[in-house]
Amino acid sequence: MKPSASIYLHCDPTASHYLKLLMDAVFGVENFRTEIIWKRSSAHSDAKQGRAQHGRIHDVILFYTKTDAWFWNQVFMDYGREYIDAFYRHIEPDTGRRYQMGDLSAAKPGGDTQYEWRVKRRTGQEEWQSDLTEEWKSPKKGWEYKGIPPYKGRSWAYSKANMIEYAKAGRICYTTTGTPRYKRYLDEMPGVPLQDVWTDIGPIGARAAERLGYPTQKPEALLERIIQSSCPEGGVVLDPFCGCGTTVVAAHKLGRRWIGVDIMQLAINLIKNRLRDSFGEAAAYKVIGEPVSAPDAERLAESDPYQFQWWVLGLVGARPADQKKRADKGVDGKIIFQGDTPGVFETVILSVKAGKTGVAHVRDLKGVLEREAAAIGVLISMREPTRDMRTEAAAAGFYESATWGRKYPRLQLLTVADLLSGKTVDMPPIRQVGVTFKKAPKASGKGDSQGDLPL
Ligand SMILES: C[S@@+](CC[C@H](N)C(=O)[O-])C[C@H]1O[C@@H](n2cnc3c(N)ncnc32)[C@H](O)[C@@H]1O
């Protein structure tokens, strides 16, 4: 049977019971496989003083499959601290490597497995060692010698020749009675096969390099684990609520094809920047559903002015202004660039107008520029600016950059049609300071070319 799709639903524990019923109804209760507990923080503000309830520190991930046959790739989790302390207690003094002592006996005899393993040690010392040169035959003064047979009723797990090889490779250690044991190093073990309680992936808040500032961002390691275990290389990952694109980035990195869906233009802009920052311009993908013509843009502006605004700001690489801050009145977005003085950044202020525009809007923007001491102001409109608007804008003069030896108009008027034809803000190069939200760290992706998805 061909493997079918795996479905993961990530939910808040307070809603997981209802969502489980809903998922059962959609995918079939017989296709429910696992409830995964992700411990997303170690302490939470929920556990405030006086709250007569347990602090909530986990999320629930429900795992379903579409049919009885599904793809599974065994992935391993790190051993927990407690496990390591209990089972890998020994530490090699010279290398610092942790190891456990593995049994070298076997229940079944076979071949050369009933011999005495020869060991020696200096008299009065605790540590035994292999007597590979058979020194016991002509014993040295100050040394003691022993032949260790396998435990009663058992055999050695390896022939004498193999035991000698292990001893030469430093893989044999000894108990205080001289019994040989196999040295199993922690750093050579794959880890624990994936379990249903995940305590080893910390919250995004603790991952400064990864954090982009999107409120519901999840850690990449969480999505990587899900994708690695449930989707083959070259398979397709779909995240229909992809937010700032954690699933998309994890899938791209792991060489899976991907489809991300989000209703917010802000999220789409962020994902585009994140893909570029993580994988460079080589990351090949298509964006479907964004306006590609002025009439498309007009439709978006009519149906949802905020989405329109975010889409426009995304076209020029601007960061949306915080609408709630009073200080940002009249500012829809900003681009920050390095000014002439090292460490001092200048601001481009953007004002986006979906409807009618007139000279009053240019004057308002000029006022905002002065209030904010910004370098450049840009009015982006659907409609062509009037002659009066152009005259007013030209009267604002220029921002002069000594670094780039150039003048830039202080007030610029652009239309959506200009942006769609490739025109953009005339300003000094931003040199990586004007990206939307925070910059994503560079990553290497196996999936630089997605190929065509059947969309
Ligand atoms: C919880 S967030 C996802 C966060 C994501 N896992 C990440 O790491 O960034 C949910 C996302 O679903 C999007 N969303 C909400 N309703 C939607 C809908 N009807 N269609 C598509 N996306 C939607 C929201 O815009 C939001 O970005």
Side-chain angles (χ1 to χ4, degrees):
M1 211 167 153
K2 229 175 128 196
S4 68
S6 296
I7 303 105
Y8 286 86
L9 180 81
H10 186 154
C11 46
D12 185 281
T14 52
S16 66
H17 306 90
Y18 307 108
L19 291 168
K20 166 84 176 50
L21 290 176
L22 194 67
M23 293 287 280
D24 285 348
V26 176
F27 296 104
V29 66
E30 69 284 6
N31 289 320
F32 168 66
R33 306 289 163 204
T34 318
E35 179 186 87
I36 300 162
I37 301 298
W38 171 43
K39 180 172 175 268
R40 57 173 162 69
S41 60
S42 46
H44 199 265
S45 50
D46 264 357
K48 277 184 217 127
Q49 225 186 349
R51 190 184 135 103
Q53 216 179 309
H54 308 87
R56 245 180 251 133
I57 57 167
H58 80 280
D59 276 2
V60 171
I61 300 171
L62 301 174
F63 171 44
Y64 284 74
T65 60
K66 196 166 170 225
T67 67
D68 276 352
W70 67 92
F71 173 85
W72 184 254
N73 178 35
Q74 189 56 271
V75 303
F76 296 88
M77 300 164 66
D78 285 346
Y79 298 112
R81 191 75 253 158
E82 256 176 59
Y83 182 90
I84 292 175
D85 288 343
F87 294 99
Y88 287 86
R89 282 181 291 122
H90 307 281
I91 301 176
E92 249 178 19
D94 42 342
T95 62
R97 292 175 83 189
R98 272 187 181 265
Y99 64 93
Q100 68 171 206
M101 290 182 166
D103 190 6
L104 275 171
S105 73
K108 276 198 204 145
D112 167 33
T113 53
Q114 283 292 337
Y115 49 88
E116 278 199 336
W117 180 249
R118 302 298 317 187
V119 295
K120 62 178 185 179
R121 72 173 173 189
R122 275 186 194 281
T123 313
Q125 282 196 357
E126 207 176 88
E127 305 261 308
W128 289 95
Q129 52 183 279
S130 316
D131 183 8
L132 294 178
T133 54
E134 305 224 311
E135 209 178 272
W136 64 279
K137 289 183 178 161
S138 1
K140 282 206 277 191
K141 209 164 160 235
W143 286 76
E144 58 181 298
Y145 302 87
K146 264 212 252 193
I148 310 284
Y151 298 122
K152 205 159 173 244
R154 292 181 67 90
S155 307
W156 290 121
Y158 301 102
S159 67
K160 195 166 178 185
N162 282 345
M163 284 278 266
I164 290 172
E165 287 312 309
Y166 284 135
K168 283 184 181 161
R171 301 303 300 235
I172 305 236
C173 51
Y174 292 93
T175 65
T176 47
T177 58
T179 305
R181 307 283 248 149
Y182 185 72
K183 227 179 200 182
R184 191 167 291 126
Y185 289 107
L186 174 65
D187 56 24
E188 289 175 354
M189 302 309 289
V192 193
L194 199 53
Q195 317 275 302
D196 61 3
V197 177
W198 298 355
T199 57
D200 56 338
I201 299 177
I204 192 70
R207 298 162 181 261
E210 203 180 310
R211 211 170 50 221
L212 299 173
Y214 198 76
T216 53
Q217 184 181 356
K218 303 292 175 302
E220 270 174 44
L222 187 72
L223 275 307
E224 281 176 19
R225 176 169 291 173
I226 290 174
I227 294 169
Q228 269 172 332
S229 59
S230 293
C231 178
E233 281 209 30
V236 181
V237 177
L238 164 72
D239 186 345
F241 302 93
C242 67
C244 66
T246 310
T247 309
V248 158
V249 167
H252 198 92
K253 212 194 260 179
L254 296 170
R256 273 66 167 179
R257 294 178 294 157
W258 50 262
I259 303 165
V261 182
D262 204 284
I263 204 168
M264 296 261 286
Q265 186 58 47
L266 194 65
I268 307 299
N269 292 349
L270 188 51
I271 295 173
K272 287 198 231 169
N273 286 323
R274 188 169 179 184
L275 284 169
R276 192 204 49 224
D277 296 340
S278 303
F279 306 106
E281 304 291 345
Y285 60 90
K286 266 189 224 152
V287 182
I288 299 169
E290 279 192 326
V292 289
S293 65
D296 280 358
E298 203 128 16
R299 270 193 296 277
L300 178 62
E302 268 167 31
S303 67
D304 193 331
Y306 274 117
Q307 300 289 347
F308 169 77
Q309 202 179 89
W310 286 329
W311 169 69
V312 168
L313 293 171
L315 288 180
V316 294
R319 186 180 60 209
D322 186 343
Q323 303 295 331
K324 289 186 219 124
K325 272 206 238 147
R326 289 189 72 201
D328 275 350
K329 211 162 169 284
V331 181
D332 293 326
K334 288 182 180 178
I335 308 176
I336 312 293
F337 66 91
Q338 169 70 65
D340 285 333
T341 315
V344 174
F345 294 100
E346 299 280 9
T347 309
V348 176
I349 283 181
L350 294 110
S351 170
V352 181
K353 298 278 175 242
K356 253 176 138 182
T357 42
V359 73
H361 290 121
V362 185
R363 288 197 194 114
D364 286 351
L365 183 57
K366 203 168 167 184
V368 174
L369 266 194
E370 274 151 26
R371 183 190 80 206
E372 302 273 315
I376 294 169
V378 184
L379 180 67
I380 304 177
S381 58
M382 278 302 302
R383 317 242 167 117
E384 268 306 310
T386 61
R387 187 191 302 205
D388 283 355
M389 287 168 76
R390 290 192 190 286
T391 312
E392 186 72 32
F398 292 90
Y399 166 78
E400 289 196 40
S401 164
T403 313
W404 300 96
R406 260 205 62 188
K407 284 179 177 178
Y408 302 87
R410 271 205 88 202
L411 265 181
Q412 301 177 24
L413 308 179
L414 285 170
T415 64
V416 166
D418 287 337
L419 300 181
L420 287 170
S421 67
K423 210 166 158 185
T424 191
V425 178
D426 189 14
M427 59 176 283
I430 58 172
R431 288 199 196 141
Q432 306 194 347
V433 289
V435 291
T436 308
F437 288 82
K438 245 190 74 197
K439 218 172 136 61
K442 263 217 148 356
S444 63
K446 290 187 184 174
D448 284 345
S449 163
Q450 281 229 75
D452 263 346
L453 288 167
L455 294 174

